Amino acid sequence: MKRRKFLKNATLSTAGLAVGATIVNCTNDKKTPTTPVTKTTQKATLPLVVATWNYPNATAAAYKVLKNGGTALDAVEAGCKIEEADINNQTVGKGGLPDREGNVTLDACIMDKNGNCGAVVYLQNITHAITVARHVMENTPHVMLAGVGAEQFAYEIGLKKENLLTNASKKAWEKWKIESKYKPIINIENHDTIGMLAIDKNGDISGACSTSGLAYKMAGRVGDSPIIGAGLFVDNEIGACVATGLGEEVVKTVGSFLVVELMRQGKSPQDACEEAIKRIVNKPNSDFKNFQVGYIAVNKQGETGSFSIHQWFSMTKFQDGKNENIQSQFIVKA
Ligand code: ASP
């Protein structure tokens, strides 16, 4: 299949989407109680942690690390591990939906306050991709390991081989195989790739991202999530950003790096996320009606923001001892 055709097929089923070029303020949804994002400056109490989507258990675990005096780096690893281990989450770690060959392959990356980073791509048989990514960062001279090399390294650091394909994901894949149509529903449900950003009590920022990628992707496909600058970027002087959605589109605009650079130029996290989404939407012949991308960001002052192409993206924030799910602003109303 020609690449263009393939990518065209790699879109959401969006029949009935009302499309408008104007930004729509969020509304509350019965399914997910949410709080609107406002553009007013938020008073930052440290520590704080934010995650893509509705991941209260992950942010709670990360916040606990921060409250106990742990670093932002420890916090984001701990938070991502919650979703990686949750077999009911079919987009991250164990239980993730497989590629079209039936193999669950994971992508993850992590970045610390000093600008160090580590990533794994196409990792199989290991639940905690984020831990492997952290070890790549801390204990190798490299920034990225792929496939069997990443898996071998995971065993060397003491992680166990596990079958990541749960019965539920196998059944879903077998059902998909009947038609084999490449139309994954990404980022429409309340759970997806976990991207997490944390600021510890010292004001230092770290970030992490972990995913099983697009369901039923081509074997060997790698998205934005393990690519530093695309799926995640941290600059401890400025802030950090993490992405979710159709990774190909995030890679093409180096999305997370763009958001951080926009904050460097003075934009708030909210405005920077909005501008980065508009870069995708305003590209000539952008097919944005048919795919989702969402960003969340924090700046050094502890302000946060999020923005997405389609409605129903949200950010979970744990701050001041409480968890909140914040509905993102968006361009296309569902
Ligand atoms: N960004 C991920 C990828 O393209 C998927 C997602 O966030 O849903 O692999």
Side-chain angles (χ1 to χ4, degrees), residues 31-255:
K31 290 176 286 182
T32 37
T34 55
T35 310
V37 171
T38 66
K39 289 200 174 186
T40 53
T41 304
Q42 298 146 352
K43 208 169 167 60
T45 318
L46 300 183
L48 75 87
V49 56
V50 288
T52 51
W53 303 102
N54 192 14
Y55 282 137
N57 296 338
T59 49
Y63 191 78
K64 196 172 165 200
V65 170
L66 295 168
K67 266 312 210 194
N68 290 337
T71 63
L73 187 67
D74 290 335
V76 293
E77 182 190 2
C80 287
K81 284 175 77 173
I82 296 290
E83 295 308 319
E84 289 176 336
D86 181 357
I87 57 166
N88 295 317
N89 182 342
Q90 291 183 298
T91 58
V92 180
K94 190 171 187 172
L97 289 166
D99 65 14
R100 55 185 58 188
E101 314 290 332
N103 296 313
V104 181
T105 70
L106 307 182
D107 297 333
C109 74
I110 195 160
M111 196 162 181
D112 75 5
K113 62 175 181 171
N114 297 319
N116 297 310
C117 57
V120 288
V121 304
Y122 201 73
L123 176 68
Q124 295 185 67
N125 303 315
I126 301 290
T127 297
H128 292 303
I130 201 66
T131 298
V132 190
R134 181 169 179 178
H135 278 266
V136 170
M137 174 175 79
E138 292 180 336
N139 300 316
T140 79
H142 307 304
V143 296
M144 186 182 285
L145 290 179
V148 287
E151 187 178 340
Q152 184 55 39
F153 180 63
Y155 300 138
E156 283 166 23
I157 63 171
L159 299 184
K160 298 273 165 301
K161 182 168 185 156
E162 286 185 83
N163 176 15
L164 304 186
L165 188 64
T166 55
N167 284 339
S169 290
K170 192 170 177 212
K171 266 193 194 150
W173 169 61
E174 277 161 355
K175 196 168 165 211
W176 172 82
K177 273 202 298 183
I178 296 168
E179 289 202 4
S180 301
K181 276 200 184 135
Y182 193 64
K183 280 191 179 172
I185 308 292
I186 52 166
N187 293 355
I188 289 297
E189 294 162 336
N190 286 333
H191 55 83
D192 223 291
T193 292
I194 182 159
M196 185 172 267
L197 309 170
I199 312 183
D200 59 32
K201 66 176 179 5
N202 300 322
D204 289 322
I205 309 171
S206 290
C209 188
S210 184
T211 188
S212 51
L214 299 183
Y216 320 128
K217 60 197 174 186
M218 285 176 71
R221 181 265 185 188
V222 172
D224 62 313
S225 303
I227 309 294
I228 294 296
L232 170 73
F233 197 70
V234 176
D235 181 329
N236 198 38
E237 280 184 11
I238 304 297
C241 174
V242 68
T244 183
L246 188 63
E248 283 75 4
E249 298 301 322
V250 178
V251 168
K252 286 179 206 167
T253 49
V254 200

